[in-house]
Amino acid sequence: MHAPLLMTPDIRDIEAQGLAATSPGELMSRAATALAQVCARHLRQLPAGTPVLALVGPGNNGGDALCAAAWLHTRGWSVQAIALKAGPPAADDAQRAWARWNALGHPWLTPDQLEPWLQARQGATALVIDGLFGIGLQRPLEGPARALVETLRRNPTHVIAADVPSGIDAETGAIVGPPGSEAVRAATTVTFIANKPGLHTGAGRVHAGAVIVESLGLQVDLPPAGRLIDRTAAQQWIHPRAPDAHKGSHGDVLVLRGAPAMQGASVLALLGAQAAGAGRLYLGIDDGSAMQVSITTASMADPNHPEFMRRSLIVTDVTSPEAALQAWGCADAVVVGCGLGVDPWAQQVVATALLHPGPLVLDADALNCIAQSASRTSQLKSRSTQGRITVLTPHPLEAARLLHTSTAAIQSDRIGAARQLAQQTGAVTVLKGAGTVIAWPTRATGGVAADDVAWAINASGGPLLAVAGTGDVLAGIVGALLAQGLAAADAACLGTWVHGAAADALAEQPQWAAGIGLPASRLPEAVRETINQLAADRS
């Protein structure tokens, strides 16, 4: 039900088996034909007379691009090619591609001719096939390769990448090399044999554009390294409600109210939980703290949302799970951290939350409190050994604090960072960002080894979510799904997809089309529509 994602060694193994089972050049021919057909579909949408330029690297990716250009030439399109290096390549299949191209009689352009060739178009777009480098790239783009990429960025081009955009790490999604390194930015990537995780997270998600997987007729029977969460995958976790459903059927969610200046964050989390279908919604208020400023009237949690119930909490002097349960009451999921702050009162809140036996979603400042305290970190780890459910929802900076590293290090290997957090804490980890990564231990309790951590990448979401408050909505969504009985990893995967898909639906409306200016309070209604449509399609 999930689209599989494979790492480079497994793809190499499948490729080697395919090469052994086919005649020389057959796999390159299949790849080039698939690539050329995608190019042809794009060319039919571009202005008539749009020329094609293949950027040809020294390996088989260059051969793929060159053969695709030759295929387009035989069907009437104007084609040219630039070789990164003079002279034919060493690989046999790529050598044959060069020979076929030379037989067409086209002169080769040199890298320094790209700029004048594009400028001669006087602002009109050219279609460029990126065949510079593939999944084997180990060093940053330098010299003529970097110059070509910089030239593409300065000029109107429509780029189709062969297998992976040149300069992108196919496993991590990071741009290969130190900060400031370059990578091709494609409109579409035609990736071969199997899908790659680096095309769906971090910089790779931005640079790959739309991803089309072409198996080249090869059988992929290896277990995937990870999974891509798309609509089909999300649908397996959602069901229409039974006619006899009632509010007690779908769980109670308790959201801790935040610090005085940030109490809207907890309301956003409650709105997210409501949109995702929680049965009863409670705003937890520490009435005994002088640091809290009440916004309530009578027993109402929020006069703007009379369906939100108020629950008075005790935060201090809680030293056991039994005492935490008595202090906060029963809940099918507890959400802590939204607008919480990191002062001593907040530290006490997190300490009590970590003792609470209910499923727990830790977001934002709850994570920062844990990162600042060795004892809180120890409490977090002990929850998994006691069989208690915990979901962490950090953004990259919060993840960096938890792992005592830099944001750049997190972004350089987002999958590795999410897996490390899940391994170290025993908690399901939702590392937010472009291509959110969800990682979870596959062992219920006890020590977690690296091989015991599974992971997935979310396929939905975009820049519309890049505004304060949307993460609070996500925390509430995950809490609601936990309260309705979903397994922690399933709640994290479904909640993340629904959250992103709701933003994608809003982005289709003209007022949000550029991904700018969404108030986070508008998101829950889109979440409600998305999750109801998902359930209706399942019925």
Side-chain angles (χ1 to χ4, degrees), residues 34 41 65 89 130 200 204 257 297 327 374 392 403 451 466:
R41 290 199 295 270
D130 167 29
H200 299 282
R257 192 174 72 176
T297 59
L392 315 179
L403 291 174
D451 291 343

Side-chain angles (χ1 to χ4, degrees), residues 180-196:
S181 297
E182 285 282 2
V184 168
R185 189 160 182 166
T188 299
T189 297
V190 184
T191 197
F192 306 130
I193 300 176
N195 212 341
K196 287 94 176 165

Side-chain angles (χ1 to χ4, degrees), residues 99-120:
R100 286 193 293 271
W101 177 261
N102 289 332
L104 296 175
H106 287 294
W108 288 92
L109 302 180
T110 59
D112 59 358
Q113 291 178 291
L114 175 60
E115 185 96 56
W117 187 86
L118 290 171
Q119 290 182 350

Side-chain angles (χ1 to χ4, degrees), residues 245-265:
H246 55 85
K247 62 185 179 183
S249 305
H250 305 297
D252 298 350
V253 174
L254 171 65
V255 176
L256 272 291
R257 192 174 72 176
M262 299 181 287
Q263 290 177 356

